[in-house]
Amino acid sequence: MKKALVILLGVCFVALLIGSAVARDAKLGVRPMREWVGDDGSAVSTDTGLRGLYQEAQASTLCLVWYTFETSDWMGWTQLDLTSVPDTCWHVDDFTNVGSNNHGHLRPIEGTKSMWCGARYSDLVACGWDYAPGYGNNWIQNLGTEAFTFTGAITVQFHAWYDAEDGYDYVRVQYDEGEDTWKNVVEYTGQGDTVATVLVATTKYQTKIRFHFTADSGYSDQDGEIDTDGACVLDSISVTDEGSLSNLETFESCAVDAKHCGIWYATPGAGYGMYSGLAEALEDKDPCGDNFQTQVVFYVGSTENSSEYPGLFNTPWCAGATHADGPCQNEMVISPEIDMTKYSSACDNNQDMDIDAGLLPKLGGAILRFTVYRDLPLDNLVLYTWGVRSWTGVCWSSWQDDGYVYYGPDKDFIFTGSDVSAYIGGTAPVQIGIGVFDACEAWYNKYGTCAAHTPSPWFDNIRLYRYETEGPQWYAREIDFFQDNFPTDFGNIESYVRADMANDIRPEANPVIDPGDSIVVQATSRVGKGIAADASGGPAVYLHVKATYIGPSPTKPALHGADLCGWVAWGAGPTG
């Protein structure tokens, strides 16, 4: 995801100015992060500077909205199953004005029309995507037949162009062995063009055939991690048996955007389902932070009683004996539309006051805050998430966040959140999303074993503030700064010291700790015209380093310029 600018400064001192792309897991585009808690109960991994920032700006900080959910009132929030596709995406297409044609295959395979599993740029399903046309995360899309009788073996022939994330997303040809028990005949992943003939041999007297596309929760045109021409283009599908069955579909006789053509019907797959709800008098294990009033939970409808929390249920599992098969729980609760031009005089869910017209252009900062009860050991791989998005005038943007999914093994409430100035601003309405993500399908035996679940997480006191800014703002977390370190030559205190980040960039490589050689800072300028460009065309953001003492050795570099820094490489992304 391209949310900030990037600067790399070499071996001696290294700085990385970036948004949520930093330290992302190579597959899902996110990385698990434990939130540490300070003496005051606030999460410190998200930035201890937030408390100082809020205190400094009290005179010009406005509480836009605060949601308490009392008493069992959703206050306009809605539920969203992120594994549920909002549309049927197999459809007949002639690819006229379809949009960017990245790999040159957004065209009919034969004739003037083909069946396509994908979304056009103009489709509602593609609103807020980083790339479109293409396909999205968590897609389950079927193109299949009704049940039919047959004689002997069935032969299926087709011409297909497929473009799916290699090794993770698949186009499969399947048949039904009875009662919707599907078996694979052949599967395709990656990118390719095939004219195929496959044989379906079943002892049943009746069956169904389908082309079944599945995408996991990361790396698609939706999140911008890959750019495809959609999952699959199909044409000239022939189904014959050893008797009189013979059907050929070229899609030429069907209208553009048709979801049904001949014997073929397009349907979306079912999502995992929603388990979010409101609950009170929860049995938590935090004697210093009890909250017996209404909170948002994600276990409503689960069937597993919790042995440690009497009367409560654990969040639901992924499928399979090891709970490592998808789909898995991945859902959010979403706030009502929040007006960025109004605030709440009582700091509640009622935005009853207009922000002064003179102050409004100066409110370049935004802070999201909430409380969360954890008891989420990393081994469980049940993590909590947050995100914000803005209205573009046509649709909602994609969800913006810091690139982490969060856990914490302690049985406690924490007061957490993040500065979200880089993701929202101006006067466009915004929404907040808070959720839970079961990552066992992707991270089983990498970060955890998925051996247990708890009833948590649950959330309360979700609020959004705006604060006044003057000029560009920067935001950083202590975990992404340089840590104290030791000389490389333990026998010589005057030897060089590595500039290591406090963050472990390979947390899965336990017990090895591999600190990064970068520091991470976000820089934004919501007020004015953004961050200016320097002479090279990159963002005019600079790291100034002052070394007051580097020891007596004459072989060490001077305290200035390139000798101190080593090398400099510039890169740029959106600066806000």
Side-chain angles (χ1 to χ4, degrees):
M1 306 287 281
K2 304 155 287 299
K3 296 180 183 171
L5 54 159
V6 180
I7 298 177
L8 292 176
L9 300 174
V11 178
C12 174
F13 286 91
V14 186
L16 175 62
L17 286 85
I18 195 167
S20 61
V22 63
R24 287 182 165 232
D25 180 86
K27 174 64 195 75
L28 289 183
V30 292
R31 176 178 164 185
M33 168 65 72
R34 177 176 179 176
E35 294 208 85
W36 298 90
V37 181
D39 294 336
D40 65 351
S42 293
V44 298
S45 71
T46 54
D47 178 26
T48 52
L50 282 179
R51 294 193 297 276
L53 175 65
Y54 178 69
Q55 291 162 1
E56 290 171 7
Q58 283 186 7
S60 55
T61 296
L62 298 176
C63 175
L64 299 194
V65 68
W66 186 324
Y67 300 99
T68 63
F69 307 104
E70 310 302 341
T71 51
S72 293
D73 181 359
W74 274 112
M75 294 184 169
W77 285 62
T78 55
Q79 301 160 283
L80 176 63
D81 178 4
L82 292 170
T83 70
S84 177
V85 179
D87 201 356
T88 301
C89 299
W90 281 106
H91 65 280
V92 176
D93 212 308
D94 61 3
F95 303 96
T96 302
N97 299 320
V98 71
S100 173
N101 201 334
N102 187 52
H103 299 135
H105 286 272
L106 289 179
R107 53 180 172 76
I109 292 179
E110 299 175 12
T112 62
K113 301 172 190 174
S114 292
M115 182 64 74
W116 180 42
C117 184
R120 288 170 168 261
Y121 180 81
S122 58
D123 289 349
L124 181 61
V125 72
C127 251
W129 288 19
D130 279 24
Y131 296 129
Y135 71 86
N137 295 336
N138 298 302
W139 270 26
I140 304 175
Q141 295 289 332
N142 299 309
L143 178 68
T145 69
E146 300 285 1
F148 61 90
T149 57
F150 58 94
T151 301
I154 302 168
T155 300
V156 182
Q157 296 177 306
F158 56 89
H159 189 173
W161 160 256
Y162 54 92
D163 191 2
E165 184 194 4
D166 195 8
Y168 295 96
D169 301 342
Y170 292 89
V171 179
R172 295 180 170 98
V173 180
Q174 299 177 324
Y175 68 95
D176 178 24
E177 270 284 79
E179 298 181 350
D180 289 327
T181 302
W182 295 93
K183 289 192 175 183
N184 289 343
V185 179
V186 65
E187 65 181 30
Y188 303 98
T189 187
Q191 189 179 102
D193 190 345
T194 182
V195 178
T197 300
V198 298
L199 202 64
V200 175
T202 174
T203 59
K204 303 292 182 179
Y205 75 93
Q206 195 175 64
T207 192
K208 305 174 189 174
I209 305 292
R210 73 178 183 183
F211 292 85
H212 180 62
F213 173 69
T214 58
D216 65 4
S217 55
Y219 277 58
S220 73
D221 300 87
Q222 182 176 353
D223 59 29
E225 298 294 346
I226 59 175
D227 187 1
T228 78
D229 282 350
C232 185
V233 182
L234 273 175
D235 214 331
S236 298
I237 306 175
S238 169
V239 180
T240 60
D241 68 357
E242 295 176 8
S244 59
L245 175 63
S246 179
N247 182 271
L248 173 65
E249 185 55 68
T250 64
F251 305 105
E252 295 300 310
S253 63
C254 298
V256 171
D257 202 40
K259 308 298 194 298
H260 167 216
C261 188
I263 67 171
W264 299 98
Y265 296 82
T267 56
Y272 183 83
M274 293 187 293
Y275 294 82
S276 53
L278 299 175
E280 297 182 357
L282 295 170
E283 179 73 20
D284 67 71
K285 309 295 181 181
D286 186 357
C288 298
D290 281 334
N291 181 350
F292 293 108
Q293 296 179 313
T294 307
Q295 298 177 71
V296 178
V297 300
F298 288 90
Y299 62 74
V300 176
S302 172
T303 58
E304 181 182 340
N305 288 289
S306 174
S307 59
E308 191 172 355
Y309 295 79
L312 302 185
F313 293 85
N314 294 333
T315 55
W317 299 90
C318 302
T322 60
H323 308 299
D325 299 330
C328 301
Q329 184 180 21
N330 185 7
E331 62 176 299
M332 299 179 77
V333 291
I334 301 173
S335 76
E337 181 179 300
I338 300 171
D339 191 334
M340 296 292 278
T341 69
K342 293 180 177 290
Y343 69 98
S344 173
S345 60
C347 204
D348 57 20
N349 64 313
N350 180 27
Q351 291 187 273
D352 59 337
M353 301 293 290
D354 292 326
I355 298 174
D356 182 83
L359 177 61
L360 188 59
K362 301 177 182 179
L363 296 176
I367 300 173
L368 170 66
R369 300 292 249 169
F370 55 88
T371 58
V372 55
Y373 180 77
R374 301 184 298 172
D375 192 7
L376 296 169
L378 180 58
D379 190 66
N380 295 5
L381 291 181
V382 176
L383 307 113
Y384 64 92
T385 64
W386 60 263
V388 292
R389 66 181 183 180
S390 301
W391 181 250
T392 67
V394 178
C395 58
W396 289 102
S397 71
S398 57
W399 289 104
Q400 306 292 304
D401 56 51
D402 61 0
Y404 290 99
V405 286
Y406 291 94
Y407 69 97
D410 302 310
K411 299 176 175 65
D412 58 7
F413 283 99
I414 62 170
F415 180 44
T416 186
S418 186
D419 190 303
V420 294
S421 307
Y423 315 133
I424 58 177
T427 60
V430 304
Q431 286 184 310
I432 299 166
I434 302 289
V436 64
F437 171 50
D438 187 335
C440 200
E441 180 186 10
W443 290 341
Y444 176 67
N445 278 343
K446 178 178 181 181
Y447 292 121
T449 67
C450 312
H453 277 202
T454 70
S456 57
W458 49 75
F459 302 90
D460 202 0
N461 296 306
I462 303 170
R463 71 212 75 170
L464 184 66
Y465 299 94
R466 293 192 73 176
Y467 63 88
E468 185 175 353
T469 57
E470 295 291 341
Q473 302 294 302
W474 64 275
Y475 161 59
R477 305 179 308 178
E478 288 184 348
I479 196 172
D480 294 327
F481 278 178
F482 291 135
Q483 63 179 330
D484 292 338
N485 216 332
F486 297 96
T488 54
D489 180 356
F490 288 103
N492 178 12
I493 198 172
E494 299 292 351
S495 63
Y496 286 106
V497 176
R498 285 177 51 89
D500 285 337
M501 177 194 290
N503 202 348
D504 181 6
I505 62 173
R506 291 196 303 151
E508 72 279 8
N510 292 327
V512 176
I513 297 176
D514 188 4
D517 58 1
S518 307
I519 65 172
V520 181
V521 178
Q522 285 188 51
T524 62
S525 182
R526 284 291 183 185
V527 178
K529 297 181 179 180
I531 297 175
D534 72 348
S536 69
V541 179
Y542 305 95
L543 173 70
H544 296 274
V545 178
K546 181 179 181 181
T548 58
Y549 176 73
I550 60 171
S553 172
T555 62
K556 292 180 179 178
L559 294 177
H560 60 81
D563 288 338
L564 179 65
C565 292
W567 55 269
V568 177
W570 295 90
T575 61

